[in-house]
Amino acid sequence: MEKLGGIFNPSSPEMEALSSLTLYTIVTTVGILLLIVAAMIYIIIAYRKNPDDNQEPYQNFGNLNLEIVWTLIPCAIVAVLFLLTCNTMKVVDPPVGDHEPDIIIIGHQWWWEIRYPKSGVITANELHIPAGKYLLARIESVDVIHDFWVPELGRKIDAIPGHPNHMWIVAGEPGLYIGACAEFCGAQHANMHIRVIAETEEEFKEWEKQELVIPPTPRTGLAGNGAKLFQEKACMNCHTIMGTAAAARVGPNLTHLNDRQTIGAGVLTNTPENLNKWLTNPQKYKQGSLMPNMKLSPTEVEAIVAYLEALK
Amino acid sequence: MSRRLPLVPENTEPLPSLKENQGMLAWVSSVDHKQIGLMYLMVTMVFFVVGGLEALLMRIQLSQPEFNFISPEVYNQLFTMHGTTMIFFVVMPFLIGVGVYLVPLMIGARDMAFPRLNALSFWLVVFGGILIYYSFLTQSGAPDMGWFAYSPLSEKPFSLNKGPTYWALGLLATGISSVASGLNNIVTILTMRTPGMTMRRIPLFVWMILVTSFLLIFVIPIIASAFAMMLLDRLLEATFFTPAHGGSAILWQHFFWGFGHPEVYILILPAFGIISEVIPVFSRKPIFGYEFVAGSTVAIGLLSLGVWAHHMFAVGLGDVTNLYFSLASMLIAIPTGVKVLNWVATMWGGKIIFATPMLFATAFIIEFVMGGITGVAIASVPIDWVVTDSYFIVAHFHYVLYGGSMFAIFAGVYYWFPKFTGRMMSETLGKWHFWLTIIGFNMTFFVQHFLGVMGMPRRIYTYQDFPYWGSMNLISTIGAVVLALSVLVFMWNVHVSRKRGKKAGNNPWDAWTLEWAAASPPAVHNFDLVPPVRGRRPLWDLAHPEQPDEPNAKVVD
């Protein structure tokens, strides 16, 4: 049997607290539902009218004591739930204090920009974190409201223009945790995935070092051609490639595209063939995406793919 | 002898009379509360079918992972229009319409207090609906920003299409209609009751309509002004809700939910009213704890005005704000629970007749409690952080609005159809409708709870093939098809019963409230003679003079 995701696979201390509160509450309230169902079944069996019986039943107008009892019982249930709510909030959302954020996550229509202000790394759609370490994330948006949600790691938090939010992120074990934008944000809300890649401390350090390398720009061959096309074909109007004149922040930073698992915030696996398909017509795979079909010829596409693949 | 001028000049031309057969004109020009009520019901039926088809298309698109049945743009238009239609053009006008038909009859009045305002309310709903649906014909299509229209997505430059403008204008029109209906109901209920019909004796349905009407006049102005601001932003470059120009993205949410949460109670309180009429009659007992059912409605109405930000726990409003709204929302569970237990207690010890209205009312209790318990859970901030904006919420509010409001609406239609038309609905078709609804409804929405906690966000036109997502979505889609079938059976039942149903007589269910003393269908003037009212159940008192509800009641004439 495949493993159930989300709440059934909590992978951080925060999510464990959230998961158990949610499941216990649901089980308790389902218990209440079952009591009512049992009462209804009894009523349906015991008090069904016999067609030959023309007597009206005893006319009962109410009972004050019963009303008081069944007002007080839900009061008690609510009080307990509220106390559990307060306790869980402390675990899930510890105070930020005067911490500087370790990560800045910025929602864009329809991808995530991820910045590590302490090291200067900038990437997109894939959040690398060292497992077991609490990192403070600041969540922002540059356009409409998005919502950052990785179901196995923790709570949802909105990314709102003009209203930055903060949240602690932690993953218990190394692994891949897939999330998505949870607040409707337009045409491609469905394809705004986020991948959290939790690694060991060493792997994370290694990755960070790798991301800071400025790759040399190829000058010759197909890749060299691609580098030129990247500048000429308006790619640089939206994208950044470190070490070149391309420094725009409209689309994802492509310097280390090679290291990412997917293209288009999760619509395609990142392989040269898929990159080729994507550049030929991104609208086919992500209809409504802000990346237009640049009407590149197959040879141009091949050259740009070769260039992006050569950046290491 | 001085002769005073009459306040209203005498007519020189004869007024149109219902006795002459004037075809459609008799309906279009009508200010009669019964005709207007029936027109509300007919219009909501059309919108119900349209909104249902929109849902069905969405379910087909989601039946398997990465399915290419409709484009993302069309999908987004469909879910926006589905939500808008079902809330503003189906459940709300149905409940207002059935109220307009029944309230004057139940309190022994001749008509609503303001009959022409009543007609205006109805036609504004129709025109609002046409305005919104017209946007499908514009080049850029229908609104596609969701029924909640969060800014800045609903603002320029993120929605350059005309849809949201049509949407705000159309809903502004229906908003005016709702405020007018609210006022009309309040004045009618407070001033036009027949002698003896004190506020402690009006039927619970009338109580629920009264509380709903106060909610309407309190909260619709909030959203109407927000619509006006949105239109200013969109048409005249104002910047209320655009953060890039100094506005606030969160302000819209406060306005929207300040209206939007009480709206939920506007959609469910009259449904509670229907249930509170049906259950006693078919259990052959008076409602258990009348004062508590009426009083808990007032409590729900008041509390509902102070809970809106529980829709905004993920916004980051701060712990204190979140905890206040969490506690306030949980408190609503208490009066709601009181109601449910009173209904159960009404059935307890009765002699229950399970005709179709009672089947739907009985199922209502269970389906609604299902939606209610998930509602209590998501009032808890951390649980909300887990499930908000996921399919869990979709499941939750469909249990409340379909399992609650729609089940009550079906119970009400089967119950009052004989009064509306003079004919009974078919019990055989009614039972088919009921069981198909139970199967289709639960199949569609139950699995969505699991999809939600497993990580499926709402409002996505497609999804990747995560474990079990495909099969659960397929179950949900098959359920939606069954549910659509059930609606077809219902429509067919209405169609054939209207012409060939068994003759009903005045009081086929042996019920106790005043509407059953009128003819079926009632005459234009409702009653030749309103029966004396000396208790909550005037027709019980008439049938059982030896055992009146209030033996010591004063006779009022």
Side-chain angles (χ1 to χ4, degrees), chain A residues 9 16-17 24 68 107-108 119 122 133 168-169 172 183 236 247 251 265 285-286 294 306:
Chain A
N9 184 25
E16 272 158 26
Y24 287 140
I68 292 171
H108 292 254
S119 62
I122 300 169
K133 209 169 149 188
W168 293 99
I169 295 181
E183 185 58 86
M236 64 180 293
Y285 304 96
K286 197 165 177 178
M294 301 303 289

Side-chain angles (χ1 to χ4, degrees), chain A residues 1-8 15 18-19 21-22 25-26 29-30 32-33 36-37 39-40 42-44 47-49 53 55-64 66-67 70-71 74-75 78 81-82 84-86 88-89 92-93 109 142-145 147 149 151-152 154-158 160-163 165 178 180-191 193 195 266-267 285-288, chain B residues 71-73 76 79 144-146 148 150-153 158 243 249-250 253 283-290 292 313-316 319 322-323 326-327 330-331 333-334 338 340-342 344-345 347-354 362 365-366 369-370 373 376-377 380-390 392 450 452-462 464 466-468 510 537 540 544 547 549:
Chain A
M1 189 170 143
E2 280 177 289
K3 221 159 133 193
L4 290 170
I7 200 173
F8 302 110
M15 196 57 213
L18 286 172
S19 177
L21 176 68
T22 308
T25 309
I26 289 177
T29 50
V30 165
I32 298 170
L33 174 70
I36 299 217
V37 170
M40 295 299 281
Y42 175 76
I43 287 171
I44 291 168
Y47 298 118
R48 187 185 284 268
K49 187 183 161 105
D53 178 2
Q55 279 285 75
E56 296 281 17
Y58 171 66
Q59 302 292 297
N60 183 353
F61 290 86
N63 180 317
L64 183 62
L66 262 180
E67 301 283 353
W70 66 42
T71 307
C75 286
V78 163
L81 179 60
F82 186 67
L84 292 174
T85 295
C86 298
T88 312
M89 273 172 82
V92 178
D93 219 17
Q109 279 183 323
V142 294
D143 39 45
V144 302
I145 300 178
D147 186 286
W149 182 31
E152 279 146 31
R155 61 169 292 190
K156 289 189 193 67
I157 189 151
D158 282 356
I160 302 172
H163 177 98
N165 277 323
I178 298 180
C181 174
E183 185 58 86
F184 181 63
C185 55
Q188 279 295 341
H189 166 56
N191 284 315
H193 300 281
R195 304 169 96 77
V267 286
Y285 304 96
K286 197 165 177 178
Q287 192 181 335
Chain B
S71 72
E73 283 85 358
N76 295 345
F79 79 69
D144 57 356
M145 70 304 178
F148 45 91
Y150 273 11
S151 65
L153 181 63
F158 305 109
I250 302 176
Q253 297 190 24
S283 307
R284 309 306 307 153
K285 277 178 65 204
I287 187 84
F288 192 91
Y290 173 96
F292 289 88
F313 286 156
V315 165
D319 283 355
N322 282 350
L323 281 174
S326 176
L327 182 62
M330 286 177 193
L331 289 182
I334 298 163
V338 167
V340 169
L341 292 169
N342 276 304
V344 174
M347 293 172 73
W348 196 275
K351 292 184 179 172
I352 306 171
I353 304 155
F354 285 103
T362 310
I365 295 183
I366 291 167
V369 169
M370 179 77 203
I373 58 169
V376 182
S380 166
V381 181
I383 300 179
D384 183 84
W385 285 340
V386 175
V387 297
T388 186
D389 285 319
S390 78
F392 188 90
F450 293 95
V453 293
M454 283 160 57
M456 182 166 167
R458 286 171 75 176
R459 303 157 184 148
I460 54 174
Y461 76 95
T462 191
Q464 294 180 349
F466 295 117
Y468 303 102
D510 204 358
R537 299 188 296 168
W540 168 277
H544 303 268
Q547 193 194 344
D549 280 355

Side-chain angles (χ1 to χ4, degrees), chain A:
Chain A
M1 189 170 143
E2 280 177 289
K3 221 159 133 193
L4 290 170
I7 200 173
F8 302 110
N9 184 25
S11 306
S12 72
E14 300 172 355
M15 196 57 213
E16 272 158 26
L18 286 172
S19 177
S20 51
L21 176 68
T22 308
L23 291 175
Y24 287 140
T25 309
I26 289 177
V27 168
T28 315
T29 50
V30 165
I32 298 170
L33 174 70
L34 290 181
L35 282 180
I36 299 217
V37 170
M40 295 299 281
I41 290 173
Y42 175 76
I43 287 171
I44 291 168
I45 294 167
Y47 298 118
R48 187 185 284 268
K49 187 183 161 105
N50 181 346
D52 308 323
D53 178 2
N54 290 322
Q55 279 285 75
E56 296 281 17
Y58 171 66
Q59 302 292 297
N60 183 353
F61 290 86
N63 180 317
L64 183 62
N65 291 336
L66 262 180
E67 301 283 353
I68 292 171
V69 168
W70 66 42
T71 307
L72 290 180
I73 293 173
C75 286
I77 297 175
V78 163
V80 173
L81 179 60
F82 186 67
L83 287 178
L84 292 174
T85 295
C86 298
N87 280 338
T88 312
M89 273 172 82
K90 267 190 235 152
V91 179
V92 178
D93 219 17
V96 173
D98 47 8
H99 267 89
E100 287 297 314
D102 304 292
I103 315 163
I104 298 174
I105 299 171
I106 306 167
H108 292 254
Q109 279 183 323
W110 293 276
W111 60 283
W112 301 94
E113 179 180 345
I114 295 160
R115 304 182 150 237
Y116 296 77
K118 289 175 185 162
S119 62
V121 170
I122 300 169
T123 182
N125 301 322
E126 287 170 21
L127 173 64
H128 287 252
I129 53 172
K133 209 169 149 188
Y134 277 85
L135 296 183
L136 182 66
R138 187 167 84 207
I139 322 281
E140 302 172 1
S141 165
V142 294
D143 39 45
V144 302
I145 300 178
H146 303 277
D147 186 286
F148 181 88
W149 182 31
V150 183
E152 279 146 31
L153 293 187
R155 61 169 292 190
K156 289 189 193 67
I157 189 151
D158 282 356
I160 302 172
H163 177 98
N165 277 323
H166 290 84
M167 174 176 74
W168 293 99
I169 295 181
V170 61
E173 297 293 324
L176 170 67
Y177 306 97
I178 298 180
C181 174
E183 185 58 86
F184 181 63
C185 55
Q188 279 295 341
H189 166 56
N191 284 315
M192 192 168 160
H193 300 281
I194 184 128
R195 304 169 96 77
V196 176
I197 298 152
E199 299 155 315
T200 59
E201 188 78 35
E202 299 78 57
E203 283 170 333
F204 176 73
K205 285 265 155 60
E206 186 54 35
W207 172 82
E208 217 171 31
K209 220 164 76 193
Q210 171 64 27
E211 289 294 295
L212 287 168
V213 172
I214 296 176
T217 306
R219 304 277 169 210
T220 54
L222 200 57
N225 237 344
K228 255 184 262 149
L229 283 167
F230 195 89
Q231 310 289 327
E232 288 162 8
K233 287 286 176 184
C235 308
M236 64 180 293
N237 289 355
C238 295
H239 294 283
T240 295
I241 289 183
M242 289 194 294
T244 74
R249 280 182 61 187
V250 179
N253 183 319
L254 299 177
T255 314
H256 294 281
L257 181 64
N258 266 324
D259 297 339
R260 294 191 209 137
Q261 299 176 349
T262 66
I263 308 168
V267 286
L268 291 169
T269 325
N270 188 7
T271 63
E273 299 76 55
N274 280 341
L275 192 55
N276 193 308
K277 287 191 209 163
W278 172 260
L279 287 174
T280 307
N281 184 8
Q283 294 296 323
K284 187 176 167 197
Y285 304 96
K286 197 165 177 178
Q287 192 181 335
S289 153
L290 297 186
M291 174 151 168
N293 180 352
M294 301 303 289
K295 304 265 164 45
L296 301 169
S297 71
T299 43
E300 288 169 336
V301 169
E302 239 167 83
I304 296 176
V305 171
Y307 168 50
L308 293 173
E309 292 293 322
L311 291 172
K312 276 186 182 139

Side-chain angles (χ1 to χ4, degrees), chain B residues 437-518:
Chain B
T437 305
I438 292 286
I439 295 166
F441 168 73
N442 287 297
M443 203 170 156
T444 308
F445 295 109
F446 190 74
V447 288
Q448 294 184 358
H449 291 112
F450 293 95
L451 280 169
V453 293
M454 283 160 57
M456 182 166 167
R458 286 171 75 176
R459 303 157 184 148
I460 54 174
Y461 76 95
T462 191
Y463 54 92
Q464 294 180 349
D465 194 9
F466 295 117
Y468 303 102
W469 284 30
S471 44
M472 284 190 182
N473 271 294
L474 185 61
I475 292 172
S476 183
T477 301
I478 296 169
V481 174
V482 177
L483 198 56
L485 271 180
S486 82
V487 173
L488 275 183
V489 174
F490 170 70
M491 310 277 284
W492 178 248
N493 196 354
V494 169
H495 178 72
V496 294
S497 304
R498 193 173 59 85
K499 290 189 176 144
R500 296 200 294 271
K502 207 168 72 193
K503 283 253 165 45
N506 289 0
N507 191 359
W509 308 118
D510 204 358
W512 305 306
T513 38
L514 282 185
E515 78 270 26
W516 299 103

Side-chain angles (χ1 to χ4, degrees), chain B residues 56-62 66-71 78:
Chain B
L56 209 52
L57 291 174
M58 288 191 278
R59 277 312 330 164
I60 294 171
Q61 164 67 17
L62 293 177
E66 324 231 13
F67 195 31
N68 275 318
F69 174 65
I70 41 183
S71 72
L78 286 176

Side-chain angles (χ1 to χ4, degrees), chain B residues 38 41-42 45 94 98 101-102 278 282 357 409-427 490-506 508-509 515-516 519-522:
Chain B
L38 288 180
L41 305 195
M42 287 184 267
M45 194 103 112
F94 179 92
V98 84
Y101 192 107
L102 290 170
V278 169
F282 290 88
I409 283 173
F410 288 133
V413 169
Y414 282 96
Y415 180 55
W416 282 300
F417 189 86
K419 185 53 56 188
F420 298 158
T421 63
R423 291 177 186 275
M424 308 294 287
M425 284 181 83
S426 156
E427 276 292 307
F490 170 70
M491 310 277 284
W492 178 248
N493 196 354
V494 169
H495 178 72
V496 294
S497 304
R498 193 173 59 85
K499 290 189 176 144
R500 296 200 294 271
K502 207 168 72 193
K503 283 253 165 45
N506 289 0
W509 308 118
E515 78 270 26
W516 299 103
S520 300

Side-chain angles (χ1 to χ4, degrees), chain B residues 28-325:
Chain B
V28 173
S29 65
S30 176
V31 294
D32 175 62
H33 73 102
K34 298 179 288 298
Q35 275 181 309
I36 292 172
L38 288 180
M39 284 194 288
Y40 265 113
L41 305 195
M42 287 184 267
V43 166
T44 55
M45 194 103 112
V46 172
F47 279 119
F48 183 52
V49 171
V50 175
L53 286 175
E54 286 161 356
L56 209 52
L57 291 174
M58 288 191 278
R59 277 312 330 164
I60 294 171
Q61 164 67 17
L62 293 177
S63 59
Q64 43 179 294
E66 324 231 13
F67 195 31
N68 275 318
F69 174 65
I70 41 183
S71 72
E73 283 85 358
V74 172
Y75 185 89
N76 295 345
Q77 294 176 17
L78 286 176
F79 79 69
T80 304
M81 291 301 280
H82 168 73
T84 306
T85 305
M86 290 306 194
I87 288 166
F88 293 100
F89 299 103
V90 179
V91 178
M92 218 171 146
F94 179 92
L95 295 170
I96 288 176
V98 84
V100 157
Y101 192 107
L102 290 170
V103 164
L105 284 163
M106 283 182 160
I107 60 173
R110 162 70 183 80
D111 203 317
M112 296 291 284
F114 308 111
R116 276 180 289 190
L117 187 64
N118 196 15
L120 177 73
S121 292
F122 167 70
W123 290 105
L124 277 175
V125 172
V126 176
F127 289 134
I130 292 173
L131 201 54
I132 287 182
Y133 268 88
Y134 180 79
S135 63
F136 267 116
L137 304 177
T138 63
Q139 208 177 6
S140 47
D144 57 356
M145 70 304 178
W147 88 280
F148 45 91
Y150 273 11
S151 65
L153 181 63
S154 59
E155 300 267 331
K156 286 180 197 169
F158 305 109
S159 292
L160 291 169
N161 56 338
K162 298 211 174 57
T165 310
Y166 279 101
W167 180 84
L169 278 171
L171 291 185
L172 204 51
T174 59
I176 296 168
S177 149
S178 306
V179 174
S181 312
L183 284 171
N184 211 344
N185 280 325
I186 292 170
V187 177
T188 307
I189 295 168
L190 293 186
T191 67
M192 298 188 51
R193 301 186 312 275
T194 193
M197 182 68 80
T198 59
M199 289 306 284
R200 293 174 61 104
R201 286 180 185 160
I202 55 175
L204 282 168
F205 179 75
V206 179
W207 259 113
M208 309 284 168
I209 292 282
L210 182 66
V211 175
T212 304
S213 299
F214 275 108
L215 284 181
L216 282 173
I217 64 169
F218 288 155
V219 305
I220 300 283
I222 303 174
I223 196 67
S225 27
F227 287 147
M229 287 184 238
M230 176 180 168
L231 286 168
L232 287 173
D233 277 9
R234 292 184 60 84
L235 300 172
L236 300 174
E237 317 292 334
T239 57
F240 289 108
F241 306 124
T242 47
H245 304 100
S248 162
I250 302 176
L251 181 65
W252 167 268
Q253 297 190 24
H254 282 293
F255 287 149
F256 186 81
W257 293 117
F259 144 83
H261 201 77
E263 170 72 9
V264 176
Y265 294 94
I266 291 168
L267 299 173
I268 196 71
L269 289 182
F272 288 168
I274 295 174
I275 296 302
S276 305
E277 296 301 322
V278 169
I279 285 181
V281 168
F282 290 88
S283 307
R284 309 306 307 153
K285 277 178 65 204
I287 187 84
F288 192 91
Y290 173 96
E291 291 84 354
F292 289 88
V293 178
S296 60
T297 309
V298 178
I300 291 174
L302 287 174
L303 283 171
S304 79
L305 296 171
V307 298
W308 73 89
H310 68 213
H311 294 265
M312 300 162 63
F313 286 156
V315 165
L317 298 175
D319 283 355
V320 178
T321 313
N322 282 350
L323 281 174
Y324 158 72
F325 281 102

